[in-house]
Amino acid sequence: WDALRYTAFTGTDAPPKRSAGLRWLRRLTIVGWAFWSGFVTFHTVSVSSSAKTFNVIITVLPCLLAIRSPLWGWRVLIVGIATTPLTLPGIAGAWGWHWAPGLALTAALVFYLVGESNDQAELAWAGLISFAAAAPFVRDWRDAALLVMLGGIAFFLGNTVRQRRLAEEERRAQQERRLAE
């Protein structure tokens, strides 16, 4: 329950520690991804201007929030996953999904970043909550399986990078202890 509370409400994770150059490059990449996702959403959504503006904002904002805290970006993404199908009534017929393609790009990045900065317990809750937010809009079991697979791959890749980073830090610490002895 602590992991659920942390994931859904109280957690404020931070991206991993890196050199200044890598942090700058990471931020630049995330901002570029955010604007690309917003551009894709803007050009694939054909609704009123207020609905289009909302969808572009809900596509770009999670990426920008994920620069500082991937969990906050994920929380805003969940709001987008739950509200976007209501603002895009005809997109399922044109695209096959109830979400704009740009939001799918945003989800992939934010899921990766959450996987890169959280434990497995938080990832399990994030995956369950994400699926629960999308489940009411899924038409059949094949779409549900695809959502689980794509989301799971993004979480898994991020977690793999995190596990590798932790193993390298542990190896470095052991080497320093060995040298000190």
Side-chain angles (χ1 to χ4, degrees):
W1 295 111
D2 291 337
L4 172 61
R5 189 170 6 112
Y6 177 85
T7 304
F9 305 111
T10 62
T12 55
D13 58 345
K17 303 287 187 234
R18 292 191 170 94
S19 68
L22 285 177
R23 279 194 315 267
W24 181 83
L25 183 62
R26 176 190 165 116
R27 288 181 188 136
L28 185 64
T29 303
I30 293 172
V31 168
W33 190 289
F35 287 123
W36 176 251
S37 297
F39 176 80
V40 169
T41 297
F42 182 79
H43 287 290
T44 57
V45 172
S46 57
V47 291
S48 68
S49 63
S50 61
K52 185 179 273 196
T53 303
F54 170 77
N55 282 294
V56 169
I57 289 171
I58 206 71
T59 298
V60 172
L61 189 60
C63 291
L64 298 180
L65 287 174
I67 292 172
R68 300 289 274 166
S69 174
L71 272 180
W72 278 105
W74 172 78
R75 290 176 187 131
V76 172
L77 176 68
I78 294 304
V79 171
I81 288 172
T83 59
T84 298
L86 305 174
T87 62
L88 300 174
I91 198 160
W95 156 243
W97 290 76
H98 289 278
W99 302 278
L103 189 65
L105 291 172
T106 296
L109 175 68
V110 172
F111 287 169
Y112 170 83
L113 294 173
V114 168
E116 186 185 35
S117 60
N118 289 286
D119 292 348
Q120 282 86 5
E122 286 95 11
L123 287 181
W125 281 112
L128 287 172
I129 293 169
S130 299
F131 183 73
F137 307 105
V138 175
R139 290 186 277 196
D140 64 0
W141 68 271
R142 291 173 296 205
D143 285 344
L146 184 62
L147 281 176
V148 169
M149 185 182 70
L150 293 176
I153 288 171
F155 281 132
F156 176 76
L157 289 175
N159 193 42
T160 301
V161 170
R162 177 181 176 274
Q163 294 298 325
R164 172 70 184 231
R165 186 182 67 247
L166 291 175
E168 287 176 359
E169 289 172 2
E170 178 63 27
R171 185 184 55 80
R172 243 183 266 118
Q174 285 179 354
Q175 189 175 14
E176 288 174 5
R177 284 192 298 267
R178 198 172 35 248
L179 289 174
E181 289 175 357

